[in-house]
């Protein structure tokens, strides 16, 4: 039909889906949009039950020759990818889910490489008293020296890096509001 020409942009042969580009849309096994949405929900539930991050699942997919970024997994779960990309990642995730479900334990599927997963640092919260002290210092000196940051750290006990980042963020906030 007429709608099919606009869906095929010619870009399917590049990027993370390149090896899956051969699959045609008219294939009888192509899942519907509703089936993809239901699968995405089922996948997300399993991933969360297993205690895996989107990044960890993406790395595990390397076993199937297709490592995916955390962003791609997130967009698949939210169904924010094109239909063709959803169909292609669906095929890889189906294989992953089958292998996870067939293993007797809830252990993650091993990846080819033993890449250490970098965990993000927990978000720092600064209580109102310390925040007031930082704001008062910022009003006097918005760009403290390393020695000033060390002195602030001695009194506030937040860590030099936390204080340095707070001042960077606060200066940015000041520039946006100016």
């Amino acid at each position: 039909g007429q709608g099919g020409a606009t869906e095929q942009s010619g870009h399917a042969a590049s990027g993370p889906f390149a090896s899956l580009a051969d699959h045609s849309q008219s294939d009888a096994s192509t899942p519907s949009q509703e089936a993809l949405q239901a699968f995405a929900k089922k996948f997300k539930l399993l991933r969360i039950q297993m205690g895996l991050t989107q990044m960890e699942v993406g790395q595990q997919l390397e076993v199937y020759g297709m490592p995916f970024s955390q962003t791609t997994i997130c967009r698949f779960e939210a169904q924010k990818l094109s239909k063709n990309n959803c169909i292609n990642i669906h095929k890889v995730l189906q294989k992953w889910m089958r292998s996870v479900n067939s293993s007797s334990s809830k252990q993650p599927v091993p990846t080819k490489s033993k890449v250490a997963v970098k965990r993000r640092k927990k978000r720092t919260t600064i209580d109102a008293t310390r925040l007031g002290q930082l704001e008062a210092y910022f009003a006097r000196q918005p760009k403290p020296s390393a020695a000033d940051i060390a002195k602030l750290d001695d009194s506030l006990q937040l860590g030099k890096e936390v204080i340095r980042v707070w001042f960077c963020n606060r200066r940015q906030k000041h520039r946006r509001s100016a």
Side-chain angles (χ1 to χ4, degrees):
Q2 292 175 331
T6 58
E7 287 181 11
Q8 294 178 349
S9 62
H11 298 290
S14 65
F17 304 103
S19 68
L20 300 174
D22 316 3
H23 303 293
S24 70
Q25 234 181 326
S26 60
D27 187 349
S29 66
T30 301
S32 67
Q33 194 67 39
E34 295 77 25
L36 285 171
Q37 288 172 344
F39 177 83
K41 283 182 182 177
K42 185 177 169 184
F43 162 73
K44 184 177 182 180
L45 280 173
L46 177 65
R47 178 184 65 74
I48 292 169
Q49 284 172 351
M50 293 181 68
L52 295 173
T53 65
Q54 293 166 337
M55 187 174 81
E56 290 167 336
V57 171
Q59 289 172 338
Q60 288 182 10
L61 296 176
E62 185 179 353
V63 171
Y64 305 103
M66 301 270 325
F68 288 101
S69 67
Q70 177 273 328
T71 303
T72 302
I73 301 294
C74 178
R75 288 178 181 159
F76 176 78
E77 288 180 354
Q79 293 290 285
K80 299 282 186 202
L81 295 170
S82 71
K83 184 173 182 191
N84 285 343
N85 285 350
C86 281
I87 289 167
N88 290 332
I89 195 171
H90 168 261
K91 293 172 185 174
V92 177
L93 289 175
Q94 271 185 319
K95 290 178 189 173
W96 178 82
M97 284 179 69
R98 276 195 293 271
S99 73
V100 166
N101 287 331
S102 68
S103 64
S104 56
S105 66
K106 289 287 182 194
Q107 293 301 311
V109 177
T111 57
K112 284 182 186 174
S113 59
K114 296 288 179 187
V115 178
V117 176
K118 262 191 169 178
R119 295 270 179 195
R120 286 186 74 168
K121 184 181 169 292
K122 188 177 180 288
R123 187 180 180 92
T124 303
T125 53
I126 302 174
D127 61 71
T129 306
R130 290 177 179 162
L131 189 58
Q133 290 173 302
L134 286 168
E135 287 287 355
Y137 196 94
F138 181 83
R140 292 192 313 272
Q141 174 56 279
K143 200 160 176 26
S145 67
D148 293 337
I149 289 173
K151 288 177 193 169
L152 279 168
D153 181 38
D154 289 340
S155 66
L156 299 176
Q157 298 294 306
L158 288 171
K160 292 176 190 171
E161 185 65 6
V162 170
I163 293 169
R164 186 193 68 77
V165 169
W166 184 89
F167 273 92
C168 287
N169 291 342
R170 185 60 184 83
R171 285 193 300 273
Q172 184 63 33
K173 181 181 176 183
H174 180 73
R175 283 192 290 271
R176 278 195 310 266
S177 65

